[in-house]
């Protein structure tokens, strides 16, 4: 158990709803053949082109481990390297070391598994929420069932341009396309159907111009209906893929109030009615003329760990500014990267937490959370690590 009341773990949130559980952080793929969680017959997801298996097995699931806690075991195909575990223990000491078991161990009993998606290879009764419901709730078209403002949805026969074409079940921003005319629409649909081989649903959505901000909001919905507000990141995107999220802890209350009545409560009511409980991330486009719900992901999110660490760093150490940096490439090994982060941290100007790192063909790749007293210092620490 943590010795700090501000070191809230993923496991401690889940434990309030499930006496016994596992957490499986790996997401499925419908394009990566040979992958353990390959959804080719059921619960198909558009993740074309698929991420390499290294990302699926190491990079993506590992960044949930620093704040996972020891309340429930985490199911992983690989255990984290010793230098990562030592790094987490040194810089986030109030977060207990994670308990890791193999997926095969987690399938030997009837204890439910908290997954991040519906998984074809996991029996129905082992999912913490029935996989049919989980899959349906992840569909982009489910936004229409939530009583909150959304961009206008259009029928394929009555599209006005520019238009957003979205694959109904997609991952990592891969399913979003902006089309400006009929020619681009035809080419986009042909690519999705013929090149990518996707025969699932599509939605056509009004394009929202002059966007000021697209924050990502996150809360935990307990079975009782109680909400625990996890926090808000101000998103950074490369195209439609989320790559960085910044946090100013002094703005957290304002962000929570900004969306509570108009978005948080309708989302909570919809999900609870469908029988869902757990972590929820939703994104809202903010413009001068309105706010629009553009995505709801009922799962443990990519920035969940960062937000839990941000609370701890802000309230216990006064490091109120932070950012998560994803998909970083470095020209040194993972072990040397962690050693470099430790060296920078020892200078006392902030804290770099290496969430995950794995050696690649050249150097290594990483996901990072960086905490400091100002946003400028956050960027400086990131620069120092990369130079």
């Amino acid at each position: 158990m943590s010795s700090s009341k501000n070191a809230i773990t993923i496991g401690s949130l889940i434990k309030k709803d499930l006496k016994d559980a596992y957490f499986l952080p790996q997401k499925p793929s419908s394009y990566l053949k040979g992958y353990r969680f390959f959804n080719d017959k059921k619960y198909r997801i558009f993740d074309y082109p698929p991420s390499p298996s290294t990302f699926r097995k190491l990079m993506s699931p590992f960044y949930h481990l620093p704040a996972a806690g020891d309340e429930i075991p985490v199911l992983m195909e690989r255990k984290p390297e010793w230098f990562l575990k030592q790094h987490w223990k040194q810089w986030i000491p109030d977060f207990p070391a994670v308990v890791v078991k193999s997926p095969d161990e987690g399938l030997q009993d009837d204890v439910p598994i908290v997954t991040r998606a519906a998984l074809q290879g996991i029996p129905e009764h082992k999912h913490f929420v029935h996989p049919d419901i989980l899959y349906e709730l992840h569909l982009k078209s489910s936004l229409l069932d939530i009583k909150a403002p959304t961009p206008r949805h259009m029928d394929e026969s009555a599209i006005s341009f520019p238009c957003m074409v979205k694959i109904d079940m997609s991952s990592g921003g891969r399913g979003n396309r902006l089309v400006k005319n009929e020619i681009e629409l035809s080419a986009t649909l042909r690519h999705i159907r013929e090149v990518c081989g996707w025969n699932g649903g599509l939605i056509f959505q009004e394009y929202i111009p002059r966007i000021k901000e697209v924050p990502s909001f996150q809360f935990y919905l307990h079975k009782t209906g109680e909400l625990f507000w996890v926090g808000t990141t101000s998103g950074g995107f490369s195209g439609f893929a989320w790559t960085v999220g910044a946090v100013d802890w002094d703005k957290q209350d304002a962000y929570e109030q900004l969306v509570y009545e108009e978005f948080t409560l309708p989302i909570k009511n919809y999900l609870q009615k469908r029988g869902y409980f757990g972590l929820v991330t939703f994104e809202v486009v903010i413009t001068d003329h309105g706010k629009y719900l553009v995505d709801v992901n009922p799962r443990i999110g990519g920035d969940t760990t960062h937000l839990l660490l941000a609370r701890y760093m802000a309230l216990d150490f006064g490091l109120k500014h932070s950012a998560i940096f994803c998909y970083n490439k470095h020209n040194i090994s993972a072990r040397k990267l962690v050693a470099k982060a430790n060296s920078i941290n020892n200078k006392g100007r902030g804290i770099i937490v290496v969430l995950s790192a794995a050696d690649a063909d050249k150097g290594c790749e990483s996901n990072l959370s960086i905490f400091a007293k100002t946003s400028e210092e956050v960027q400086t620490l990131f620069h120092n690590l990369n130079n």
Side-chain angles (χ1 to χ4, degrees):
M1 296 295 291
S2 167
S3 60
S4 169
K5 66 178 182 179
N6 297 314
I8 296 169
T9 66
I10 293 171
S12 68
L13 293 171
I14 295 171
K15 194 75 172 178
K16 289 184 178 181
D17 292 314
L18 296 171
K19 181 180 178 181
D20 296 301
Y22 298 109
F23 168 39
L24 175 61
Q26 286 179 242
K27 292 174 67 177
S29 172
S30 292
Y31 289 87
L32 189 62
K33 292 183 179 180
Y35 176 55
R36 173 70 184 262
F37 302 105
F38 186 51
N39 285 8
D40 62 332
K41 297 180 177 63
K42 200 172 185 181
Y43 310 128
R44 293 192 71 234
I45 182 170
F46 184 88
D47 62 316
Y48 181 92
S51 303
S53 59
T54 299
F55 179 84
R56 295 281 180 179
K57 295 179 181 180
L58 301 177
M59 293 296 294
S60 176
F62 272 23
Y63 64 55
H64 297 282
L65 299 186
D70 60 358
E71 293 86 356
I72 64 172
V74 178
L75 304 181
M76 300 277 295
E77 291 189 86
R78 289 269 301 274
K79 292 185 177 182
E81 298 284 357
W82 65 268
F83 53 83
L84 265 178
K85 293 191 290 184
Q86 190 177 70
H87 171 76
W88 299 334
K89 183 178 180 179
Q90 181 175 1
W91 301 111
I92 46 174
D94 289 302
F95 285 83
V98 64
V99 177
V100 176
K101 294 187 176 183
S102 71
D104 288 335
E105 288 179 278
L107 291 173
Q108 291 176 2
D109 52 38
D110 291 327
V111 173
I113 300 174
V114 176
T115 64
R116 299 183 66 215
L119 299 174
Q120 173 184 302
I122 301 295
E124 287 183 2
H125 77 278
K126 287 286 287 181
H127 283 77
F128 76 115
V129 171
H130 194 285
D132 289 354
I133 294 175
L134 201 57
Y135 189 78
E136 181 182 336
L137 294 178
H138 277 90
L139 293 172
K140 307 297 183 187
S141 54
S142 69
L143 291 183
L144 296 175
D145 298 323
I146 300 171
K147 296 179 180 179
T150 64
R152 179 171 56 92
H153 283 62
M154 297 174 278
D155 188 88
E156 188 174 354
S157 62
I159 291 176
S160 58
F161 298 99
C163 166
M164 291 298 301
V165 178
K166 295 186 175 183
I167 293 171
D168 209 2
M169 177 60 74
S170 61
S171 174
R174 294 178 180 86
N176 299 334
R177 308 283 193 277
L178 173 63
V179 297
K180 300 175 183 177
N181 51 53
E182 287 283 359
I183 295 175
E184 289 187 5
L185 176 62
S186 296
T188 295
L189 295 180
R190 185 167 57 253
H191 183 267
I192 291 171
R193 297 300 192 197
E194 297 177 11
V195 177
C196 303
W198 179 257
N199 57 8
L202 300 172
I203 63 172
F204 304 91
Q205 194 178 77
E206 169 192 15
Y207 172 69
I208 303 296
R210 297 182 294 279
I211 294 173
K212 295 173 61 178
E213 191 179 7
V214 189
S216 177
F217 305 91
Q218 194 164 149
F219 63 86
Y220 189 99
L221 172 60
H222 289 286
K223 284 184 175 182
T224 60
E226 176 190 357
L227 290 183
F228 172 77
W229 189 259
V230 178
T232 305
T233 56
S234 183
F237 293 83
S238 175
F240 296 110
W242 184 87
T243 56
V244 63
V247 174
D248 179 346
W249 202 257
D250 284 334
K251 294 182 179 179
Q252 291 299 301
D253 288 343
Y255 271 127
E256 181 180 359
Q257 294 305 314
L258 179 68
V259 295
Y260 189 76
E261 295 289 340
E262 196 172 12
F263 298 98
T264 305
L265 287 182
I267 293 169
K268 173 244 181 184
N269 292 336
Y270 168 71
L271 293 175
Q272 190 174 26
K273 185 177 180 180
R274 298 306 313 277
Y276 179 81
F277 64 94
L279 278 149
V280 181
T281 301
F282 65 96
E283 293 172 1
V284 174
V285 164
I286 299 175
T287 71
D288 286 329
H289 56 275
K291 299 189 292 290
Y292 306 91
L293 180 66
V294 292
D295 207 3
V296 175
N297 291 306
R299 63 171 179 254
I300 295 168
D303 53 354
T304 299
T305 292
H306 180 82
L307 283 168
L308 293 174
L309 296 181
R311 173 187 299 272
Y312 169 69
M313 292 291 184
L315 300 180
D316 281 17
F317 301 101
L319 303 177
K320 295 185 177 182
H321 290 267
S322 62
I324 180 171
F325 299 89
C326 300
Y327 318 123
N328 311 295
K329 297 183 183 298
H330 312 272
N331 59 6
I332 56 177
S333 69
R335 184 175 175 179
K336 288 183 177 179
L337 178 74
V338 171
K340 189 172 183 179
N342 292 338
S343 177
I344 293 172
N345 290 350
N346 282 325
K347 296 177 181 178
R349 296 177 181 174
I351 295 178
I352 299 171
V353 177
V354 180
L355 303 177
S356 60
D359 290 328
D361 292 337
K362 294 182 179 180
C364 73
E365 299 179 7
S366 76
N367 292 299
L368 309 167
S369 283
I370 302 181
F371 308 89
K373 292 185 177 180
T374 68
S375 57
E376 292 77 15
E377 288 173 337
V378 169
Q379 293 296 329
T380 297
L381 290 171
F382 181 67
H383 174 79
N384 291 344
L385 185 66
N386 285 282
N387 291 280

